[in-house]
Amino acid sequence: MKFKQQYAQNQRIERITSNHIVIGIDIAKETQVARAVTYRGIELGRPCSFKNDDVGYLKLLSWVKSLQKEHNKNSVMVGMEPTGHYWLNLAWWLLEQRFEVVTVNPYHVKSNKENRDNSPTKSDLKDALVIADMVKNGYYSPLRLPTGKYQALRVLMSDREFVIKQFISIQNQIHRWLDIWFPEYHRVFKDWSCKTSLVTLRLFPLPSELKILSPEEIYASWKPHMKRRASISFAKVLVEQAQQSIAQNVAPEQVKRSLLFLLDQYERLTTQLGELEQEAISLMKEIPQAKSLLTIPGIGKITIAGILAETGDLSMYRHGQQVLRLAGLHLGEDSSGKHKGQVRITKRGRSGLRKFLYLAVLHLVVNNEEFRSLHHHYTRTKKMKKIHSIIKLCGKLARILVGITRQEQTYNPEKVVTAAIAA
């Protein structure tokens, strides 16, 4: 059965009954504001402003309990914007108090702020009421905070992403250094990050230092640092390129120190990246879902770790379409009357999950026979553009991931091709 978003919307509305108090909270770093409405949108009580600390949380709890008692309501649903990281502690605390917590899209809050007063004004008090109205109308998403090993995996993959950004930045700075101070270096070493190149850059990075050395001296200098080193012919080419270099010999000591600093950072980040990936792989061994997901040929362990870090427990999802919407890979178009807009992915979701799903499909198209066959079918038989085929296969992968975890099965290649081509 195909997943229909309208059915999910109806179910979210039906969950809110006449026994509910719907609370909207405008999140801030220090002072937050809460307002309450009934399932019909009638505001209850006065707004509650509270600090983002334990005293403020107890004030919020007391306010909610008093509203429940006054209006004889036994159920509470709390909605909030996932603003930065300020909402996380409050969300965890509310869950501990047995409240149902949901989130609303900040873009939707901005779009709905004129519903009550037909005014573009914005304030914390107004936003809290807008959020409450959105929740009672079903414009919310269930809160899926990762717990246990999924939370640990999410922290590891977040740290990995941070290290990778720094790693790329350092690589670019080393490229810049070489382009300025030794532009001919790439003619000798196609890959500056190989072992011999890194040793060379530490021993004599500047052309002015290489000019006065013989190939034999360079070759001998490599020996204490490497068991397997480049041949003496490499040393000859290195000297020749240094003699022909157009680089200027300006402030050599400062320039060398700059490179050594970059190389130290590069090696440190390389070590950190390896440690994080190894820890993530070790942690995945303790997650039962990971073993089943790794039976899919063509997906690496780090890719699966990235997907699980973003989605949490995949068995909580009823359909792969929910994973696509979480990633912002669901389709949308802008059409009106005779105008037919282009169908594009919305990108309204987690960019990290979107990246890992996209990269996973790229690898599957190359390394997985079934996905390669489907990609060929979509591009050759159905005449789809390659990028459209990749996005379609992202949906296929999402359904496979959810199906494997919910049914506690392993990857079945026959189901992949047969069901997709028949459709």
Side-chain angles (χ1 to χ4, degrees):
M1 182 179 71
K2 289 190 175 181
F3 176 85
K4 296 292 185 181
Q5 181 60 28
Q6 66 187 45
Y7 300 155
Q9 178 75 12
N10 292 341
Q11 290 170 3
R12 287 196 292 266
I13 295 173
E14 290 171 354
R15 285 177 61 187
I16 302 173
T17 67
S18 58
N19 290 322
H20 268 87
I21 290 180
V22 179
I23 297 174
I25 300 180
D26 183 71
I27 299 295
K29 182 177 181 179
E30 296 180 355
T31 303
Q32 310 183 97
V33 179
R35 296 179 77 170
V37 300
T38 67
Y39 78 108
R40 294 179 60 193
I42 300 172
E43 187 173 6
L44 302 177
R46 297 172 61 87
C48 175
S49 296
F50 61 97
K51 294 291 185 180
N52 194 19
D53 54 28
D54 58 337
V55 176
Y57 289 177
L58 292 175
K59 179 183 178 181
L60 173 66
L61 180 62
S62 175
W63 177 75
V64 174
K65 295 296 184 183
S66 65
L67 286 178
Q68 284 185 283
K69 183 177 180 180
E70 180 181 352
H71 299 279
N72 194 26
K73 307 290 185 181
N74 53 26
S75 298
V76 177
M77 180 178 286
V78 182
M80 63 184 72
E81 289 179 299
T83 305
H85 55 274
Y86 302 124
W87 66 285
L88 286 170
N89 287 331
L90 177 59
W92 282 116
W93 184 84
L94 289 169
L95 291 173
E96 290 175 358
Q97 308 306 313
R98 305 295 183 182
F99 290 139
E100 185 175 3
V101 183
V102 297
T103 59
V104 297
N105 191 319
Y107 181 83
H108 293 170
V109 175
K110 182 177 180 181
S111 302
N112 285 274
K113 67 180 180 180
E114 299 185 29
N115 288 353
R116 286 209 178 211
D117 58 5
N118 193 33
S119 171
T121 58
K122 182 185 187 304
S123 67
D124 294 346
L125 279 172
K126 182 177 179 179
D127 284 351
L129 186 57
V130 172
I131 292 170
D133 281 340
M134 289 176 58
V135 173
K136 64 97 176 171
N137 288 328
Y139 302 132
Y140 63 85
S141 300
L143 182 63
R144 293 189 177 96
L145 287 175
T147 57
K149 294 181 175 59
Y150 294 101
Q151 176 64 23
L153 190 61
R154 186 171 177 81
V155 172
L156 284 173
M157 296 307 291
S158 177
D159 290 343
R160 177 181 178 271
E161 188 67 21
F162 175 76
V163 170
I164 285 177
K165 289 180 180 178
Q166 290 188 311
F167 189 70
I168 294 173
S169 176
I170 290 296
Q171 286 181 310
N172 291 337
Q173 291 182 58
I174 293 175
H175 279 292
R176 177 183 180 276
W177 190 98
L178 290 173
D179 288 342
I180 296 174
W181 303 110
F182 200 165
E184 298 80 12
Y185 191 81
H186 70 277
R187 299 177 185 174
V188 184
F189 296 103
K190 302 299 181 183
D191 178 14
W192 64 266
S193 62
C194 70
K195 180 67 175 179
T196 306
S197 173
L198 291 175
V199 171
T200 303
L201 290 175
R202 284 192 174 277
L203 293 177
F204 19 74
L206 297 175
S208 57
E209 296 177 331
L210 288 167
K211 289 178 182 179
I212 60 176
L213 297 175
S214 66
E216 290 75 16
E217 290 174 322
I218 295 174
Y219 185 76
S221 300
W222 285 338
K223 187 174 182 179
H225 303 280
M226 297 175 289
K227 292 183 178 180
R228 298 183 61 185
R229 53 197 177 280
S231 63
I232 197 169
S233 60
F234 263 79
K236 291 180 180 179
V237 175
L238 192 61
V239 173
E240 291 174 0
Q241 295 300 325
Q243 292 172 345
Q244 301 171 10
S245 178
I246 60 173
Q248 300 298 310
N249 187 24
V250 180
E253 293 302 319
Q254 289 74 21
V255 169
K256 285 177 59 178
R257 185 169 63 241
S258 175
L259 177 62
L260 291 175
F261 173 77
L262 292 174
L263 292 175
D264 288 341
Q265 297 296 314
Y266 174 81
E267 293 180 359
R268 177 180 61 84
L269 291 171
T270 301
T271 302
Q272 289 179 342
L273 186 59
E275 291 174 351
L276 287 170
E277 291 183 348
Q278 188 58 47
E279 188 175 350
I281 291 172
S282 299
L283 185 60
M284 281 180 56
K285 296 177 181 178
E286 303 175 22
I287 300 177
Q289 291 182 0
K291 186 176 181 180
S292 300
L293 296 177
L294 286 171
T295 61
I296 305 175
I299 298 187
K301 296 179 180 179
I302 292 298
T303 303
I304 294 295
I307 293 172
L308 290 176
E310 293 289 340
T311 61
D313 187 353
L314 280 169
S315 62
M316 296 171 58
Y317 298 83
R318 290 178 287 110
H319 195 279
Q321 185 69 17
Q322 292 178 299
V323 176
L324 285 186
R325 296 187 72 86
L326 182 65
L329 283 170
H330 56 295
L331 302 177
E333 64 175 294
D334 186 8
S335 299
S336 178
K338 295 182 179 180
H339 171 70
K340 181 70 173 177
Q342 291 186 354
V343 178
R344 304 174 185 271
I345 59 173
T346 62
K347 294 188 178 180
R348 297 282 174 81
R350 294 183 177 177
S351 58
L353 178 57
R354 187 162 61 247
K355 181 187 75 171
F356 278 114
L357 285 175
Y358 186 80
L359 292 176
V361 169
L362 290 182
H363 288 123
L364 286 170
V365 167
V366 175
N367 302 309
N368 184 290
E369 184 178 348
E370 293 75 43
F371 274 79
R372 185 164 58 247
S373 174
L374 286 174
H375 186 57
H376 184 274
H377 173 71
Y378 293 145
T379 55
R380 300 291 177 85
T381 306
K382 293 195 172 183
K383 306 299 181 183
M384 295 174 61
K385 293 182 179 180
K386 290 183 178 180
I387 184 63
H388 293 168
S389 173
I390 294 296
I391 298 301
K392 187 175 179 67
L393 289 174
C394 284
K396 183 67 178 176
L397 176 60
R399 292 190 292 274
I400 290 173
L401 295 174
V402 173
I404 286 177
T405 53
R406 285 183 66 87
Q407 299 173 21
E408 298 182 352
Q409 297 179 350
T410 57
Y411 178 75
N412 188 339
E414 295 181 1
K415 290 184 178 180
V416 176
V417 178
T418 306
I421 294 183

